[in-house]
Amino acid sequence: MDSNYEDQDGPGWWIMALLGISMVLGLVMLLMVGCQPLQPALRSDPLPFEEVPPIEAGQTLMITADGTYRVVLDFPEDPPENQELEVTGIVYDSEGPIGDDVEVYFDAGMPHHGHGLAIDVETRRAPAGRFVTPGVRFHMKGRWLLTCDVTRGAHLERARAWIMVN
Amino acid sequence: MFKSIAVILILSGLSAQTIEAPALEPDPISIDELERWGLFLGQRSWEQRTAAICGLDGGGFAVSLTDGTIELYRQIKPLGDPSSTVRIALPGVPLSLLQLSGDLFLSGTSTGQLFLLDLATGTRVKEWAKVPGGWQPVGLAHRESNSTILITDQLHGRVWEFDSSTAKPIHFWDGFIEPTATTSAGDRVWVTDRGWHRLIPCYDGEDFPRFDDGIGDHGAAPGLLAGPAGCVGISKRWFFVSDSDNHRIQVIGTHGVSLHFWGLHALEPRESEGRLHYPQSLVLDRNNKVLVVLEPSESRVQIFGPRDAESRPEPAEAWQRVDLISHFGRHWALDRGTPGFLLAVLEPDAERVVILDRRSENPIEIDDVGGHGSKATLFRVPSGIDFMSSSGFPRFVVADRGNRRLQMFEVRRHPDSIVIREAWVTALVRAVDLDQLALDYPDWKGSSPPRPGAVACLESGIIAVVDEASPRILLLDQFFQPLGTLGGPGQLRNPVALAADGDGILVADAGAHRIIRFGLDGSLSTIFSAKPAKDRPVPAGVARHPDGSCYWTDSNFGRLYRTDSSGTTELILGVEDSGSATPTKTAENELYRPGAVQISRDGQVWVVDHGNHRGVVLEPGSSVRHFGSGPYLPQNQRPRQPVEEN
């Protein structure tokens, strides 16, 4: 599915490139100023995501803003209005599907109308990086924002995507 | 037949016995009278900032000022001159006050101490009580049902119960987010919590308050609360609650029903006579049947009683608001892009961050993010903000004291886009739970979980956050991974603002009355330090100008200063002699309770004039412009009133 999300937002490859450059520069600068107590935990490797399969029909790819996680969402091409559906997906980090200790929370809302889902949903983790969110109901037509929060320990990162309910 | 009648009579007698309700204890103030409360009876204001109030045995109230002065008012109806005035030097600033007995009073201070004061001799007798791990005693109250004292500790989010004669702790209730005041009604203790926006009951024998049974929630409709900052029990069933950010007092029952409310945001600057501005502590004088309301933002108290049964309140005061009033908070930030075009403002009243395009004379709101809650993107007392220097879309970091976390947002708007409001161009990037992070990172461990305050983001990507609990500065990288700390209790007292300064951080320390600079290597230099004096500045904001000088605000006396590299300090805005200030303090060169100062790359100085609900911008050519709430703008900038035709 060609999601129409965040086209204008585009924190894509160039952010990753800038990130890489800034990481190297940052490390060099820290060494130069002799700032030994401050050890930045910057990533030094690119994020390969080799295990993420090609996106197929009926799937949507969501990427967290700094590219730490990729979420392959099983999502219908034409999501139904006012009918319950079960949203499932797999979350990957650079090494493969996330571990069972990582929490995932899927949600949706219509920011332009100032509301979320009419009925709150809960997300359940499953093995091999999978998650399941039953009871998702888009109760009106229009542009919906999907969000997927991935929480590992103290840290949460968000991926988002826009979809249309016709 | 007779048997049937007898059975019916017996049964009816039994049923009558069964359904008989226990007699309700009459309220000391009738419901009818409570519904008429809100008649303005008088006021008093001070040049020095007010800190706390408490009731007096036999009627009247005492007020303490930030310079340690305590004034006692026994003649209250009508309000007379103080019956006595005492000045007792205290470390830090007084936060709370309570008459223990006779001339003995307790006063909590910003240094985390609780002192016993003797007003007869004008002396600080001793530190009355301490607790392991320290505290911040922001509220004091007598418990009605026994001889104990309730102490509201904002540092750990606790309410302590102490024996008033031995000064020994008896018990505490734990788990509050930001408790502000305590009262008792019947056998329960009730606590206003600014993080929950509720009045929360506590029961004897339980360690945790019953949060789910709390009264209210965040909002503006009657029965909802925004920043509850004071409470006082009227009877076992009714309370007065100071609904601070809604600028009103509510009469609320233990069943959660709002019986009545009064108060309306001031229509004109510094207006009183029933208009309220961030009311906080309350004193119910039962002898005189008046409620004393402290408004620290205006350095004043107002006194209210019940209206005559025949009179009616102003129609405007009977409005039932459903929307929260939005104001500029104390913190705001400018984006660092080239060209920079965004201004992000913290609005604690609405628990939101408002994002504006700042290129026009009156910045235009393009989005907002937040709302009250604990889910991602929501806030419980946003307490600091700064833009990052990252490339790409502008990013900013918000500290959230109530949720003890940081959140990073990205504004996905190009500078050349049409300037219109568009929901959710602001996207959450990441969040970190500082409480949990401190557990994982041994260097951050302390006696209490971090309470994030002001934020500064350095060019190198390092993020600095004030930890109000310690106090110290926490350092993180742009992925919110911990890097270390700066400062500590010996070096910092009450840091309220930070600013990025090359490879260092500028700190406005309100508690120490100074502006300092930390290098990332831990070096410390003093830029400005105020000597003890009557008009000693209390720094509230700081920033480095491209010309090398340092701008900083004084919230106490409404001033903006500039300290150059030689250490010379000059007044830029505000008046040197407070006696020459205008009554409204809204003139072009005046500030009232200013907060953050930020400086753009091209040298514009942006000051949030928090107490005047307006922004002030000093252009590089030294001209000044203002934007914000119409009545608070300087006379020549106010919208013209329509002229009535003859």
Side-chain angles (χ1 to χ4, degrees), chain B residues 216-534:
Chain B
D217 212 330
H218 189 236
L224 298 180
L225 300 164
C231 57
V232 58
I234 304 164
S235 64
K236 287 180 180 173
R237 292 188 293 170
W238 298 104
F239 308 94
F240 287 116
V241 180
S242 176
D243 188 4
S244 184
D245 293 354
N246 282 320
H247 310 282
R248 67 184 175 192
I249 307 298
Q250 291 201 63
V251 181
I252 298 185
T254 52
H255 42 41
V257 173
S258 175
L259 177 72
H260 170 59
F261 65 89
W262 78 91
L264 194 65
H265 187 281
L267 301 178
E268 293 293 328
R270 319 283 89 80
E271 186 183 16
S272 61
E273 299 194 9
R275 304 280 192 254
L276 290 168
H277 207 217
Y278 297 110
Q280 292 196 3
S281 303
L282 304 175
V283 168
L284 176 60
D285 181 339
R286 294 170 198 275
N287 296 345
N288 290 299
K289 216 175 246 190
V290 298
L291 185 75
V292 185
V293 181
L294 177 71
E295 299 166 278
S297 74
E298 304 296 304
S299 290
R300 116 189 133 194
V301 295
Q302 294 192 65
I303 296 172
F304 298 92
R307 294 177 195 281
D308 186 85
E310 301 298 316
S311 71
R312 289 177 177 276
E314 279 185 53
E317 291 195 23
W319 288 347
Q320 294 205 349
R321 291 191 304 270
V322 291
D323 290 326
L324 288 156
I325 296 165
S326 224
H327 289 135
F328 295 144
R330 290 186 175 83
H331 297 269
W332 69 9
L334 302 180
D335 82 304
R336 309 261 177 79
T338 311
F341 70 112
L342 294 175
L343 169 69
V345 186
L346 281 196
E347 296 204 339
D349 306 18
E351 307 262 49
R352 287 180 180 276
V353 175
V354 176
I355 297 103
L356 303 104
D357 188 310
R358 63 179 166 88
R359 289 171 291 187
S360 55
E361 200 151 306
N362 286 305
I364 297 166
E365 190 175 320
I366 59 170
D367 194 11
D368 68 277
V369 65
H372 171 69
S374 57
K375 282 185 172 180
T377 73
L378 303 181
F379 303 112
R380 276 174 167 165
V381 196
S383 46
I385 188 169
D386 198 18
F387 272 94
M388 301 177 71
S389 299
S390 54
S391 53
F393 290 111
R395 288 185 174 188
F396 61 86
V397 175
V398 183
D400 178 349
R401 190 165 62 213
N403 286 317
R404 299 181 193 277
R405 74 178 171 202
L406 302 177
Q407 297 191 89
M408 184 189 295
F409 297 90
E410 186 169 85
V411 186
R412 297 177 175 174
R413 172 65 72 85
H414 290 286
D416 50 0
S417 302
I418 303 168
V419 182
I420 55 167
R421 185 179 168 81
E422 192 174 359
W424 274 31
V425 294
T426 308
L428 176 70
V429 174
R430 62 177 66 245
V432 67
D433 179 336
L434 293 173
D435 204 349
Q436 197 173 343
L437 202 61
L439 296 175
D440 299 340
Y441 190 63
D443 285 6
W444 280 19
K445 278 189 182 158
S447 64
S448 54
R451 277 166 55 90
V455 176
C457 300
L458 280 65
E459 294 272 348
S460 60
I462 291 172
I463 298 161
V465 186
V466 166
D467 176 8
E468 296 173 352
S470 286
R472 57 185 172 169
I473 297 168
L474 309 175
L475 301 174
L476 306 95
D477 69 13
Q478 67 260 46
F479 301 110
F480 288 159
Q481 296 290 346
L483 295 175
T485 61
L486 287 174
Q491 294 172 311
L492 294 167
R493 283 198 194 160
N494 181 21
V496 291
L498 300 179
D501 187 33
D503 61 350
I505 299 158
L506 299 175
V507 184
D509 190 337
H513 305 271
R514 63 180 189 167
I515 306 290
I516 57 174
R517 182 185 188 277
F518 275 110
L520 287 178
D521 57 0
S523 60
L524 188 151
S525 54
T526 301
I527 292 169
F528 174 85
S529 183
K531 291 176 184 161
K534 195 182 170 193

